[in-house]
Amino acid sequence: MQHSRQTYPTDLTDSQWEAIQPLLKGLRVYKWSKRELINAVLYLVKTGCQWRLLPHDFPPHFAVHSFYRRARLSGLWDKILHRLVEISRVKEGRNPQPSYAIIDSQSVKTTSANHERGIDGGKKN
């Protein structure tokens, strides 16, 4: 694919784009390509720049923000991450879906004991 702008290290590769492109079917048609909008979001996430300081060769910041917000609310980012995890697991020769999960025992202890401890400002003792 030829870019009409300079490429950034955060841009999607062609293989990455091919992996997530099917998840974007049926979405609203934008003036800007979905690939460019995702590239802009990846740039923002990696560099930590402000929306309004997005380089001028990306789509306008308000278009990128609107796309990002709609994708977040619809769960698109979660679907993309889930798809990428499946692909990386298959490349490693593993089942695309994990068969079990591990829960840290410290996390379990602190969440269950949380309601038993604490300060009640109304008590005098």
Side-chain angles (χ1 to χ4, degrees), residues 12 14 22 31 35-36 47-48 50 56 65 78 100 102 105 113:
L12 291 169
D14 289 337
K31 176 182 177 183
R35 184 173 183 167
E36 282 302 298
T47 63
Q50 296 172 349
H56 295 290
H65 183 268
D78 293 331
Y100 61 89
I102 298 174
S105 64

Side-chain angles (χ1 to χ4, degrees), residues 26-112:
L27 292 182
R28 181 178 151 188
V29 177
Y30 292 91
K31 176 182 177 183
W32 304 94
S33 78
K34 291 178 182 90
R35 184 173 183 167
E36 282 302 298
L37 292 167
I38 290 176
N39 282 337
V41 171
L42 293 174
Y43 179 87
L44 285 162
V45 169
K46 181 66 175 177
T47 63
C49 80
Q50 296 172 349
W51 290 100
R52 292 181 185 267
L53 296 180
L54 189 65
H56 295 290
D57 50 357
F58 281 119
H61 68 87
F62 54 84
V64 176
H65 183 268
S66 176
F67 172 78
Y68 168 79
R69 184 177 177 280
R70 289 174 191 268
R72 182 177 51 85
L73 293 174
S74 70
L76 177 62
W77 296 121
D78 293 331
K79 291 174 190 172
I80 289 172
L81 290 174
H82 182 71
R83 178 70 182 130
L84 295 176
V85 167
E86 286 179 344
I87 290 170
S88 66
R89 289 180 62 86
V90 168
K91 280 184 181 178
E92 294 172 358
R94 298 163 63 190
N95 187 337
Q97 300 293 324
S99 56
Y100 61 89
I102 298 174
I103 300 174
D104 185 304
S105 64
Q106 289 295 333
S107 301
V108 174
K109 285 181 190 176
T110 57
T111 57
S112 66

